[in-house]
Amino acid sequence: MPYDFSYTQNRELSWLRFNERVLEESTDTSVPLYERLKFVSIFTSNLDEFFMVRVGGLNDLSLLKTEPVDNKSNQTPSQQLESIFEAMPRLYTMRAESFKELEENLENYQIKRLTPDTLSPEQFKFVNDYVQSFLLPILNPQIIESRHPFPNLKNLGLYCAFILDTKEDKGLLGMIEVPQSEARVIYLPGEDSDNLSYILIEDAILACAAQSFGEVSVVGQAVIRLTRNADIDPDEVIFDEDDNYRQHMKRVLKKRMRLQPVRLEIQGELDPKIVKQIRKTLDLQANQVIYSSCPVEQSYIWEIEDHIPGFLTTELLYEPFSPQPSIEFDPHRSVTEQIYAQDKLLWYPYESMTPFLELIHEAAFDPEVISIKITLYRIAKKSKLAESLIAAAENGKEVTVLMELRARFDEENNIIWAERLEDAGCTVTYGQEGFKVHSKICQITRRVDGHIIRLTQLGTGNYNEKTAGIYSDFSYMTADDRIGDDANTFFRNMSIGNLNGTYNYLGVAPSSLKPLIMMGINKEIFKAKANKPAGLIFKMNSLTDRDVIDKLVEASQAGVDVKLIIRGICCLLPGIPGKTERIEVRSIAGRFLEHARVYAFGVNADRIYLSSADMMTRNTEHRVEIAYPILDVRLRQMVMDVLQVQLKDNVKARILGADGIYRKVERGPEEAEFISQEYFMDVAKQNAAQNNLSDEQMTQARKNVARRSMVTSLNLSENDLSNLAPSTQQAQTKTADDADLAEEPQSFTDVKYKRSAGASAEASPLFEEHLPESFEEEPILELEVEELSERTAENKEASDFDVAENTTLVRTHKSIPEGRFARFGKYLSLAFKALFGKDK
């Protein structure tokens, strides 16, 4: 099937535009000065990963005899690489200009980075003494000639290169590897304690280490850094069956350091002939050599922050913000007890991860807990969560950890934790061959009065205490059996390698997540064609999946209003006449990294799914991901409020144009500035303050604080507020706790997605919710789904280069925890439907 390229763009160029928006934050004068410098560092580290993964992968594909063609831009890998390197000079110039301006401004605060040519005689003596005492004994200088071949440069390692003249030879190349074991920053003494002067270790070596080559003259010097392809697939590396999988991954990590070079950065002055010599040795093209006037590696910027004099932090850094205690939880009650009483939702980083950590800690010591099962993709190096899992295993609980060792650039940390968990008695398993397990799910199973009760947590982000303080993510905790039964099925399927299991409420990639999203879009298309209000709001990190893009375009053409909040890559171009006119794409880059994935269907968001998955082919077809419904009306409204607030951002948000360029949101002449992340911080602090209220006041505050603060912060009328979220009356029209979903649980993995006129709820749970109101008018989705499957199979190679039983358990009242009696009648209702059929 031929593709329409009029409304799509290349993913790599889209990503570069995203990273350019990150760099733009460094020029925003409303951002504290040193925080702006940190955005330059983020831009640099983002670019490093882009070259290692995306450019590395494209480089591999460009070597194929027949190059595949990208299905968004109709370009081959070679053409994409050419476009990428054409964009580099401009981006490097922008970085250099911003970096220079920021360092000059920081000098006004006595914060100064020194270089070899800016050292005073006293400072040079200090640096030289430091180099002589601490560095020269461990440095290994090398002159490149016939007996000393060019060294194997490590991926992203720093090297000092010298052009040397001796009595016998001129223009020799000397190399010194910058030792990674030593501190990157050397702080210089000063008469004023408020003066922060420092030099980077590579500059100290350039200034003082040339003498280690003997009697030579230095006629040129620079810092160089090589980037290698890190897009290595562990499943394609030969696996010795005599080794365990952890040993296999350790070998993979070593191999990554020696893969094909893709970029050489040079900071300093080197003779063009020497550069050509280095380039040919590394088998690089001329456009793969990039010159930089600022440090090529900038992670040191985060270290300097800790040395800024205290009296300057208020002016140079963001006002400190710590994730706040959630108003959802009473700190004086058991977290487990509170979740059994009512579903809970945490909103990181505005709310603290502590309740979830306490949940796992309670489970580790709860005598009624039988087992804990969890998937781990990225966790902190110092992880309270992992320590609680170890404690649980040592206390005799059955702890099962599905550890994904292939989480790129976190492999080593995951290997270390896998070994510790296994040593403590946890059962540690690994992802399926060819499919990374990227889902975020945890289940705690308890035996209470002889009955099995499950508590399930699902998240949009990793179980990482560190990133939970800087990434925006949702964490959903529920004791609802509908979710719990599916979660139990998921872990059972993972234990036997079944990627095509059947679920009633969860959409699980690679088999049923994308069909779930496609059917949700279809329902809105059917509504629009019937002249009924229809809308979609999706929030994600990236959109590249061609099938989803085409379906969103179909929705726009049918009259569905589509609002997309996409932080990074967006291969869909909005505003194309006759095709994407009803699609709006926004991106928000700010203090926190927008990471949550939300898929909201309907103008009032009567269906909301949170997910670990972006709409990228790698996620929807080549990973194990989960999308899960928010069944509680109250929590669904909370999520909808978050989306609507972000759509009001007129400072940090950018609007994507039909030309692929992002532009600032235009504000009206009297429209106040509104930053969504600052709003969420304010609300979180207001909510946390409510913990000082009495129990009666707390209950009322939980009902009113979000709406009241929204009216105040956004300066909205009550009419405007009703457009932000369903009114209380609208929410009440959906039966309590979303009984409409309970009435028709859906199996999203029914192969043909069929239903007949006489189909029972058991045969096709929840499916009607994704069909048109009049089934006779729009009969069956079978043809469309089959067509989708065929297209997916046919275009798998050229898709994205990303190749990378419906049973309700009715319990006795003794088995239902306090606070959940309100749901007992619903359980009975479900049982009668299962026993006697839908229409009885």
Side-chain angles (χ1 to χ4, degrees):
M1 173 180 175
Y3 290 109
D4 184 344
F5 298 105
S6 65
Y7 53 79
T8 55
Q9 64 173 333
N10 178 258
R11 63 161 288 166
E12 316 309 342
L13 296 182
S14 177
W15 186 91
L16 288 175
R17 286 168 182 150
F18 148 69
N19 205 31
E20 185 176 336
R21 296 198 303 281
V22 173
L23 188 59
E24 284 178 359
E25 287 297 298
S26 72
T27 65
D28 186 346
T29 56
S30 69
V31 176
L33 184 59
Y34 201 82
E35 301 290 352
R36 291 165 59 188
L37 187 63
K38 285 156 67 175
F39 276 109
V40 180
S41 175
I42 294 170
F43 167 86
T44 300
S45 61
N46 284 349
L47 203 58
D48 291 344
E49 184 169 339
F50 175 75
F51 269 92
M52 285 189 289
V53 179
R54 296 304 307 171
V55 176
L58 287 170
N59 192 65
D60 286 344
L61 290 168
S62 69
L63 302 176
L64 296 176
K65 185 175 182 180
T66 302
E67 296 186 47
V69 177
D70 171 43
N71 67 6
K72 269 81 67 178
S73 61
N74 201 31
Q75 290 183 326
T76 65
S78 295
Q79 291 170 327
Q80 293 179 74
L81 287 170
E82 185 177 345
S83 298
I84 289 169
F85 283 106
E86 282 180 0
M88 284 305 109
R90 185 180 68 87
L91 290 175
Y92 270 75
T93 298
M94 290 175 61
R95 182 183 72 167
E97 291 174 350
S98 181
F99 186 87
K100 180 181 178 182
E101 178 186 353
L102 294 171
E103 282 205 324
E104 289 175 350
N105 289 335
L106 284 170
E107 288 183 17
N108 297 328
Y109 296 89
Q110 304 305 310
I111 298 175
K112 186 173 183 179
R113 179 179 66 88
L114 299 172
T115 57
D117 56 345
T118 60
L119 290 169
S120 68
E122 295 80 8
Q123 290 170 333
F124 179 83
K125 182 179 185 307
F126 175 85
V127 172
N128 189 56
D129 290 344
Y130 183 94
V131 171
Q132 297 292 329
S133 300
F134 298 105
L135 297 182
L136 279 184
I138 61 174
L139 296 181
N140 184 28
Q142 178 181 346
I143 293 179
I144 312 303
E145 39 88 13
S146 59
R147 293 182 180 273
H148 299 89
F150 194 85
N152 178 40
L153 304 186
K154 297 176 183 177
N155 182 35
L156 297 185
L158 294 175
Y159 294 82
C160 292
F162 300 86
I163 309 301
L164 309 172
D165 285 352
T166 67
K167 293 180 180 179
E168 296 80 17
D169 297 293
K170 295 185 181 297
L172 294 177
L173 174 61
M175 298 276 286
I176 297 178
E177 180 180 355
V178 177
Q180 297 181 5
S181 60
E182 300 303 300
R184 178 81 185 285
V185 178
I186 301 171
Y187 296 95
L188 303 179
E191 297 179 1
D192 187 350
S193 60
D194 295 335
N195 184 316
L196 178 57
S197 297
Y198 62 95
I199 188 170
L200 299 180
I201 185 174
E202 61 266 30
D203 287 328
I205 292 172
L206 290 178
C208 306
Q211 57 191 291
S212 62
F213 289 102
E215 296 295 326
V216 298
S217 298
V218 178
V219 296
Q221 59 186 27
V223 176
I224 65 174
R225 185 173 73 147
L226 183 69
T227 308
R228 293 183 181 273
N229 177 6
D231 190 32
I232 182 172
D233 186 351
D235 294 327
E236 292 182 357
V237 178
I238 296 175
F239 178 40
D240 186 345
E241 296 294 344
D242 292 334
D243 286 344
N244 63 37
Y245 195 66
R246 287 199 301 270
Q247 294 301 321
H248 170 67
M249 286 302 302
K250 289 177 181 179
R251 287 198 301 272
V252 169
L253 294 183
K254 290 181 180 179
K255 184 175 180 179
R256 177 182 285 165
M257 302 301 293
R258 304 188 298 273
L259 291 177
Q260 180 70 24
V262 294
R263 175 185 63 166
L264 178 67
E265 295 171 285
I266 299 176
Q267 177 199 356
E269 298 290 336
L270 288 181
D271 187 284
K273 293 180 180 180
I274 295 294
V275 173
K276 186 176 182 180
Q277 174 188 337
I278 297 174
R279 178 170 63 79
K280 287 191 173 182
T281 302
L282 296 172
D283 193 22
L284 291 172
Q285 301 298 315
N287 63 355
Q288 292 176 278
V289 178
I290 304 174
Y291 291 87
S292 173
S293 60
C294 61
V296 291
E297 204 283 337
Q298 298 185 351
S299 61
Y300 73 89
I301 289 172
W302 300 83
E303 177 189 333
I304 301 295
E305 177 182 0
D306 296 332
H307 294 264
I308 294 176
F311 71 94
L312 290 176
T313 57
T314 303
E315 188 170 355
L316 297 181
L317 301 173
Y318 284 127
E319 178 184 352
F321 175 81
S322 298
Q324 299 294 297
S326 171
I327 199 171
E328 289 282 293
F329 289 92
D330 181 347
H332 304 294
R333 293 176 58 202
S334 159
V335 172
T336 305
E337 173 190 338
Q338 294 180 70
I339 296 171
Y340 279 134
Q342 188 180 44
D343 289 358
K344 303 293 185 182
L345 188 70
L346 295 176
W347 176 219
Y348 307 151
Y350 312 102
E351 296 178 321
S352 172
M353 189 185 186
T354 298
F356 173 68
L357 298 176
E358 289 179 351
L359 172 67
I360 305 301
H361 185 74
E362 288 178 9
F365 296 91
D366 184 347
E368 294 181 325
V369 167
I370 304 168
S371 68
I372 304 173
K373 299 178 181 179
I374 191 169
T375 60
L376 295 180
Y377 192 76
R378 300 186 195 275
I379 59 174
K381 290 185 177 180
K382 297 180 180 180
S383 173
K384 293 180 181 178
L385 167 65
E387 297 291 355
S388 291
L389 294 173
I390 289 172
E394 292 174 343
N395 288 335
K397 317 298 182 188
E398 180 186 326
V399 180
T400 301
V401 177
L402 201 170
M403 176 72 79
E404 182 51 78
L405 297 186
R406 295 165 296 183
R408 188 178 279 119
F409 307 125
D410 272 328
E411 299 97 338
E412 185 175 358
N413 184 55
N414 286 6
I415 289 171
I416 292 170
W417 274 116
E419 291 173 341
R420 283 198 59 193
L421 290 163
E422 192 168 75
D423 289 344
C426 300
T427 299
V428 180
T429 62
Y430 306 108
Q432 309 298 317
E433 183 176 350
F435 294 85
K436 287 184 181 180
V437 179
H438 191 248
S439 52
K440 329 295 181 185
I441 182 169
C442 176
Q443 185 164 76
I444 298 168
T445 302
R446 303 173 76 229
R447 183 181 286 114
V448 180
D449 295 334
H451 298 279
I452 296 298
I453 301 176
R454 299 187 179 97
L455 190 153
T456 307
Q457 184 274 346
L458 293 133
T460 63
N462 297 299
Y463 297 113
N464 188 314
E465 294 97 312
K466 183 177 180 179
T467 58
I470 53 177
Y471 288 16
S472 72
D473 273 304
F474 287 108
S475 176
Y476 175 50
M477 289 167 278
T478 180
D480 194 306
D481 287 322
R482 297 170 288 179
I483 300 296
D485 289 344
D486 267 8
N488 182 58
T489 300
F490 171 83
F491 280 109
R492 185 169 63 248
N493 285 331
M494 291 301 100
S495 69
I496 61 175
N498 179 15
L499 299 180
N500 299 301
T502 298
Y503 304 91
N504 292 324
Y505 291 90
L506 303 181
V508 179
S511 62
S512 61
L513 188 148
K514 184 155 76 170
L516 165 68
I517 300 299
M518 301 290 273
M519 287 188 292
I521 301 173
N522 272 333
K523 181 178 179 181
E524 298 309 305
I525 291 173
F526 296 142
K527 285 181 181 178
K529 288 181 177 179
N531 294 319
K532 295 182 179 181
L536 299 164
I537 303 179
F538 288 179
K539 173 179 169 62
M540 63 191 97
N541 296 314
S542 298
L543 171 62
T544 70
D545 190 294
R546 182 75 206 210
D547 297 318
V548 177
I549 290 172
D550 290 343
K551 183 59 65 175
L552 289 172
V553 173
E554 181 184 341
S556 173
Q557 292 172 323
V560 180
D561 289 321
V562 181
K563 296 185 183 299
L564 305 176
I565 305 171
I566 302 176
R567 172 174 60 88
I569 303 165
C570 181
C571 291
L572 184 154
L573 293 172
I576 304 298
K579 296 176 182 179
T580 60
E581 290 171 303
R582 302 182 77 94
I583 298 178
E584 176 185 279
V585 180
R586 289 173 175 251
S587 176
I588 296 174
R591 177 174 182 173
F592 303 119
L593 185 141
E594 296 293 334
H595 194 250
R597 291 89 165 189
V598 183
Y599 303 100
F601 303 91
V603 291
N604 290 320
D606 49 351
R607 292 289 179 276
I608 289 184
Y609 289 85
L610 305 183
S611 182
S612 60
D614 293 306
M615 289 298 104
M616 305 177 74
T617 306
R618 74 175 188 189
N619 299 78
T620 58
E621 296 181 12
H622 302 290
R623 286 187 176 183
V624 177
E625 306 268 16
I626 296 178
Y628 47 97
I630 300 300
L631 302 180
D632 187 290
V633 172
R634 180 182 65 90
L635 300 186
R636 204 159 62 228
Q637 181 168 329
M638 288 171 58
V639 176
M640 187 60 176
D641 286 346
V642 166
L643 296 178
Q644 295 288 9
V645 166
Q646 291 198 323
L647 290 172
K648 293 288 182 180
D649 195 311
N650 57 19
V651 176
K652 296 301 181 182
R654 301 290 186 270
I655 303 291
L656 179 62
D659 55 0
I661 303 300
Y662 285 85
R663 296 173 176 85
K664 292 183 177 181
V665 177
E666 293 185 5
R667 293 194 298 271
E670 298 182 0
E671 184 179 357
E673 292 186 350
F674 179 70
I675 301 174
S676 58
Q677 292 186 352
E678 289 186 0
Y679 167 79
F680 290 132
M681 284 191 287
D682 290 342
V683 170
K685 287 186 282 190
Q686 292 174 31
N687 286 349
Q690 302 299 324
N691 284 319
N692 295 322
L693 302 178
S694 67
D695 289 343
E696 182 177 349
Q697 290 172 317
M698 176 73 86
T699 301
Q700 188 59 41
R702 285 174 174 168
K703 294 179 180 179
N704 297 334
V705 68
R707 295 175 66 81
R708 184 175 67 249
S709 58
M710 190 176 293
V711 170
T712 302
S713 298
L714 292 179
N715 194 26
L716 302 175
S717 66
E718 283 296 323
N719 184 54
D720 289 331
L721 185 61
S722 67
N723 293 326
L724 278 182
S727 68
T728 303
Q729 290 78 14
Q730 288 174 316
Q732 289 173 345
T733 61
K734 309 174 192 299
T735 54
D737 201 22
D738 205 9
D740 56 335
L741 264 176
E743 287 178 0
E744 296 182 351
Q746 173 180 3
S747 171
F748 295 117
T749 53
D750 181 11
V751 176
K752 298 295 185 181
Y753 304 101
K754 284 184 179 180
R755 74 184 279 276
S756 62
S760 68
E762 293 88 335
S764 182
L766 270 203
F767 179 55
E768 286 188 351
E769 296 300 330
H770 295 269
L771 284 177
E773 299 293 334
S774 172
F775 179 75
E776 291 74 18
E777 293 177 7
E778 299 280 356
I780 284 183
L781 294 179
E782 175 185 353
L783 178 61
E784 183 171 341
V785 173
E786 286 184 331
E787 198 173 276
L788 165 63
S789 300
E790 290 172 2
R791 284 180 54 192
T792 300
E794 289 173 359
N795 297 293
K796 188 164 291 185
E797 288 188 2
S799 57
D800 277 312
F801 305 136
D802 279 321
V803 178
E805 68 238 279
N806 175 34
T807 303
T808 302
L809 180 61
V810 181
R811 312 190 194 286
T812 65
H813 70 280
K814 291 183 180 180
S815 68
I816 301 177
E818 182 180 357
R820 294 185 65 82
F821 285 102
R823 297 185 179 181
F824 186 60
K826 191 164 53 183
Y827 291 150
L828 289 176
S829 174
L830 283 168
F832 278 110
K833 290 181 182 297
L835 290 171
F836 302 113
K838 176 182 175 183
D839 299 324
K840 298 296 183 182

